[in-house]
Amino acid sequence: MRPDTNDYRQLFLNDVPLMDVRAPVEFDKGAFPCSTNIPLLDNEQRHVIGTRYKEQGQEAAIALGWQLATPEVKQQRQQAWLDHVRRNPDGYLYCFRGGLRSRLSQQLVRDAGVDYPLIQGGYKAMRRFLIDELERNSNPGPDALPLALVSGRTGSGKTRVIADLMALPLCRAADLEGLARHRGSAFGRLLQPQPSQIDFENALSIAIMKLRHQHTLPVFVEDEGKLIGRVSLPETFKDAMQRAPLAILETPVEQRVDIALQDYVTDALPIYIEHFGKELGVEQFRQQILGNLDRIRKRLGGKRHQQLQLAFSEALDALVAHNDSSGFRPGIRLLLTEYYDPMYDYQQAQREGRALFRGEHEELLHWAAKCESL
């Protein structure tokens, strides 16, 4: 039998499969990228046993647990766990604190003929480890992450630079928007739901930890606000970003229109159609585009909002009827130059002296790939 472990770093660095035996409601609040929820107790069982524990103590709670573990329930749990163990023989199991539930689960798996190790300290200890690890990498000092921001105007292709840096033999970037499953702007919502706040923080900490384990070279992330959609950057990491130097991506406005058109329209509509079907997909996409405009109506101003609503509505009709996306160009250009660019100019005015580099995509990529210190 492999021994139980508390080597959390190696678990995360090696993407070890984890079997989470907490209740689904606990798993949904926060878990880890390589974890699978196969609970010992369902949500209702967890509630009633927790109530018994508070009212009558541990022994009474254990007795109720065994009472609820009918032969049918026990067989179902064992089978699900054994299926997971056979698929992931090098994995581990855990509960919230690495205590009663994980040991009961471990025993039930053993009763079925398989020894499977658990993680000492459970979810709580692993979560604490990831919080501390991200703080260590973010705080000023000798252990601080050498961080740089890929900055630039909306539509300049910052995410593409990050993807190219991640594809290098020695990965040089972390994709914050990919981890958040959101493109970061008012139009950035994806069909795939965003992770919970805790899941996002866990995934970010693991991504940074892996980069630090691979090398001590500067790491690039896209310049983001505190919020990426509905998830927020951890405060210590955001503080590190606010101290970090900038690599500014400079892209001509017509190329920015091309990038925005591709990312938010021509590549996006087929995804909606594939997901919802033709008729409903087109309608959902229309609601997405026009609804996003509604959300920034106050900042756009009533007249400009009305102008863009009409322009994008007509452009959507032409795209669906004739596969012609050109009608979006004037509205996208207006949004970029009259809405996003003034905000960017204001922000950059507060960051004088932080820019280490300015250039177009290939120039920035070449500089960043060769950058050994900041």
Side-chain angles (χ1 to χ4, degrees), residues 65-127:
W66 285 116
Q67 181 182 339
L68 294 173
T70 64
E72 293 80 8
V73 169
K74 181 179 177 182
Q75 182 180 14
Q76 182 185 51
R77 299 287 195 275
Q78 285 177 319
Q79 188 58 55
W81 290 329
L82 288 174
D83 289 344
H84 177 87
V85 168
R86 292 189 185 105
R87 292 193 302 270
N88 304 282
D90 297 326
Y92 292 82
L93 67 85
Y94 68 90
C95 64
F96 184 67
R97 293 187 178 87
L100 184 60
R101 281 185 290 177
S102 57
R103 295 193 181 280
L104 284 174
S105 302
Q106 188 181 47
Q107 183 60 52
L108 288 171
V109 172
R110 185 177 293 127
D111 291 346
V114 178
D115 283 322
Y116 206 59
L118 59 82
I119 299 171
Q120 297 166 349
Y123 169 83
K124 186 176 182 180
M126 289 188 286
R127 167 70 174 156

Side-chain angles (χ1 to χ4, degrees), residues 173-356:
D175 183 3
L176 301 182
E177 292 184 359
L179 295 174
R181 297 200 289 270
H182 194 281
R183 290 197 182 100
S185 71
F187 293 82
R189 184 171 66 88
L190 305 176
L191 279 178
Q192 187 181 18
Q194 288 195 260
S196 71
Q197 179 65 33
I198 292 175
D199 283 357
F200 171 69
E201 292 173 4
N202 288 342
L204 174 60
S205 180
I206 293 169
I208 297 300
M209 185 197 318
K210 287 181 176 180
L211 287 167
R212 295 305 304 276
H213 182 72
Q214 293 169 15
H215 57 71
T216 58
L217 297 170
V219 169
F220 293 84
V221 298
E222 187 170 341
D223 192 4
E224 303 282 355
K226 181 172 177 59
L227 288 174
I228 308 177
R230 63 172 178 79
V231 299
S232 61
L233 289 163
E235 186 173 347
T236 53
F237 191 76
K238 183 59 181 173
D239 289 344
M241 291 176 65
Q242 290 174 342
R243 296 188 300 268
L246 309 176
I248 298 178
L249 177 59
E250 296 182 329
T251 308
V253 66
E254 288 307 314
Q255 188 176 343
R256 292 166 57 208
V257 173
D258 291 341
I259 291 171
L261 180 62
Q262 180 179 350
D263 287 351
Y264 296 102
V265 179
T266 58
D267 284 355
L269 178 57
I271 296 173
Y272 275 76
I273 291 175
E274 181 180 1
H275 185 81
F276 293 107
K278 179 66 181 291
E279 186 175 344
L280 182 57
V282 168
E283 181 56 32
Q284 290 290 328
F285 184 66
R286 181 184 296 273
Q287 292 180 18
Q288 160 78 350
I289 294 291
L290 300 182
N292 288 333
L293 279 176
D294 288 341
R295 279 187 279 276
I296 59 174
R297 178 174 183 170
K298 183 179 293 186
R299 286 179 288 174
L300 280 173
K303 184 177 180 180
R304 193 161 49 183
H305 172 264
Q306 188 176 19
Q307 176 186 354
L308 286 168
Q309 281 276 34
L310 177 61
F312 281 174
S313 183
E314 292 176 348
L316 282 162
D317 292 340
L319 176 63
V320 173
H322 308 295
N323 197 30
D324 178 8
S325 62
S326 61
F328 282 95
R329 288 183 175 277
I332 290 174
R333 188 181 299 105
L334 186 150
L335 272 174
L336 292 177
T337 59
E338 297 188 24
Y339 177 71
Y340 285 108
D341 283 359
M343 290 192 293
Y344 174 81
D345 290 338
Y346 174 79
Q347 292 167 354
Q348 291 303 99
Q350 318 304 311
R351 298 167 154 189
E352 288 294 333
R354 287 177 57 187
L356 291 181

Side-chain angles (χ1 to χ4, degrees), residues 133-149:
E133 185 71 12
L134 188 60
E135 289 185 350
R136 184 177 71 84
N137 284 323
S138 301
N139 288 330
D143 292 329
L145 176 73
L147 189 68
L149 308 187

